[in-house]
Amino acid sequence: MNSNKLLPVTKHMISVKDIQNGAISSRDWAPLHSDQDWAINEGNLPNIIMNNYTLNGWIIKYMTDIFGPSTRVGKVGFKIKKPICPNNLLEFHGQQINENIISNNLSLMQLKIEIKVNEEIVASADATIGINKSNNHDYSPWKINSDKWMSYLQS
Amino acid sequence: MSSNLPVEVQKLIGKTAIKDLSPLKVETGLWQNFCSAIKDSNSLYWDKSEATIHTGDLISHPALLPSWVHDFEWHPERERKQPMELHFMIKDLLSLPLGIVTEVEIEFYDPVKNGDNISSEQKLISVSDIVDTNLGKGRYWIIEVKYLNQLDILVGKQNIQFLGYKK
């Protein structure tokens, strides 16, 4: 079922520490995420840049904050168009573009997310998530066995 | 396939070239450190009683799946190995010393929990022709990585596109 529901916009000011902390806590030791001198002088980059695990973390957080903690993230595809650097105010803009109703209680949602800095898109993502449409935990998307879950993601 | 690609790189395309055994076990404190870095309060990562209802136990943040095969920066007994070793092999073979991630597609199957051991299999899918970018001259390549747990169950898969370049 096609839908074009806009999701709330969230904003986060990204600091040097946010980028270093994200990279180090994901054990990504590449200096372009933690060493400003190296990033600028050796990496030919404007500053240290957010690593892809951290960006994926922020994208997943955006979705689960909106749809609830029991949201099951199935697939995330993202493109990084411009490096995300310290002092960037990241704006997350999302849209629900499709809903695949699996049962009365379970839907697979397809979302499009744009991450903007100063109105310019710096990264974009497409994601598929499973959500429980009821208040009954028996229908949590996490109760779906992995074979069935994988088949939903391929369909 | 891209033209003028060194034979050593051509030979890697379509084959699983690297298998990485997990250097460390999945640990709650390690993923909560990451959740703290991105200010993610999702109860499935933090609150055992809430997580038990959905996933049977706390689960690791999904975005950390690839990092469970990354070792510590230093360890008293282990030699440090490069994470995404295949990427560094290709950079060397193509004499492109710098590299960044430009595109990722990742799928999550079974959740990862405390005590799991994750291993990975890396396969080169494709390499582009030489391109001119803002960062310098280089090539794009795509590596597929499969992630398995200690029971050899596929828990996730990603295709990751890199840009290798030189100033």
Side-chain angles (χ1 to χ4, degrees):
Chain A
M1 184 170 67
N2 287 326
S3 56
N4 276 301
K5 191 177 158 197
L6 291 177
L7 305 177
V9 175
T10 63
K11 298 179 185 185
H12 306 280
M13 177 58 83
I14 299 298
S15 67
V16 169
K17 195 161 70 177
D18 287 333
I19 290 178
Q20 292 172 332
N21 202 0
I24 288 165
S25 61
S26 54
R27 288 180 303 287
D28 185 343
W29 311 113
L32 71 169
H33 308 304
S34 51
D35 182 335
Q36 289 181 290
D37 278 349
W38 192 96
I40 293 164
N41 298 317
E42 302 295 324
N44 214 19
L45 294 162
N47 203 326
I48 53 169
I49 63 173
M50 183 179 284
N51 73 334
N52 75 93
Y53 308 145
T54 306
L55 176 59
N56 197 13
W58 279 104
I59 292 167
I60 290 172
K61 170 187 155 57
Y62 174 71
M63 297 188 290
T64 56
D65 279 355
I66 292 171
F67 289 96
S70 70
T71 301
R72 186 169 180 176
V73 178
K75 197 190 291 195
V76 183
F78 57 93
K79 292 180 184 177
I80 304 168
K81 297 168 200 271
K82 289 194 82 172
I84 296 172
C85 294
N87 303 315
N88 282 174
L89 177 64
L90 292 190
E91 284 187 19
F92 287 73
H93 297 254
Q95 195 171 0
Q96 178 189 313
I97 55 166
N98 195 54
E99 180 175 359
N100 181 7
I101 299 168
I102 305 292
S103 69
N104 285 343
N105 303 301
L106 176 70
S107 276
L108 278 190
M109 303 279 195
Q110 286 183 311
L111 309 177
K112 254 192 188 314
I113 297 162
E114 288 179 339
I115 300 145
K116 297 181 182 177
V117 173
N118 293 328
E119 299 187 0
E120 185 179 9
I121 298 169
V122 294
S124 60
D126 293 289
T128 304
I129 58 172
I131 60 162
N132 182 0
K133 306 279 279 187
S134 76
N135 293 320
N136 186 341
H137 295 318
D138 289 342
Y139 300 109
S140 169
W142 293 100
K143 308 281 185 197
I144 301 165
N145 72 47
S146 56
D147 286 345
K148 196 172 255 186
W149 179 247
M150 281 165 84
S151 72
Y152 290 154
L153 297 180
Q154 306 313 321
S155 63
Chain B
M1 190 188 300
S2 162
S3 56
N4 303 321
L5 203 55
V7 178
E8 300 94 315
V9 178
Q10 287 182 31
K11 281 183 184 166
L12 288 170
I13 293 174
K15 290 178 193 141
T16 299
I18 304 284
K19 289 188 180 185
D20 255 342
L21 290 176
S22 172
L24 45 84
K25 276 190 194 298
V26 173
E27 280 183 33
T28 310
L30 292 176
W31 81 62
Q32 289 180 344
N33 198 21
F34 176 76
C35 293
S36 167
I38 59 167
K39 304 169 183 73
D40 194 336
S41 61
N42 189 322
S43 50
L44 297 191
Y45 319 135
W46 294 94
D47 180 344
K48 196 174 173 80
S49 59
E50 183 66 25
T52 301
I53 295 167
H54 299 281
T55 49
D57 203 343
L58 293 172
I59 63 167
S60 165
H61 197 295
L64 277 187
L65 175 61
S67 80
W68 291 119
V69 292
H70 295 198
D71 204 353
F72 298 122
E73 171 77 332
W74 177 88
H75 188 277
E77 290 159 6
R78 293 193 290 265
E79 285 283 312
R80 191 177 152 219
K81 273 179 74 176
Q82 285 282 17
M84 283 304 292
E85 194 179 343
L86 181 55
H87 164 62
F88 290 92
M89 264 169 77
I90 296 162
K91 271 171 55 178
D92 286 347
L93 290 168
L94 294 173
S95 303
L96 295 171
L98 303 166
I100 57 168
V101 173
T102 55
E103 208 168 317
V104 173
E105 192 174 294
I106 186 161
E107 293 187 0
F108 304 105
Y109 307 136
D110 275 0
V112 172
K113 296 179 179 175
N114 190 54
D116 281 350
N117 262 100
I118 304 298
S119 60
S120 74
E121 298 177 359
Q122 301 169 28
K123 185 195 286 183
L124 179 62
I125 302 296
S126 62
V127 182
S128 79
D129 285 325
I130 294 167
V131 291
D132 270 317
T133 74
N134 289 339
L135 295 172
K137 201 169 262 206
R139 290 182 191 260
Y140 292 97
W141 53 85
I142 297 173
I143 294 175
E144 177 197 86
V145 191
K146 288 181 177 169
Y147 298 95
L148 302 106
N149 67 14
Q150 65 281 5
L151 303 172
D152 234 16
I153 294 169
L154 185 67
V155 293
K157 191 179 80 168
Q158 77 168 333
N159 274 16
I160 183 160
Q161 178 178 272
F162 295 92
L163 168 67
Y165 64 99
K166 55 177 129 185
K167 284 197 278 186

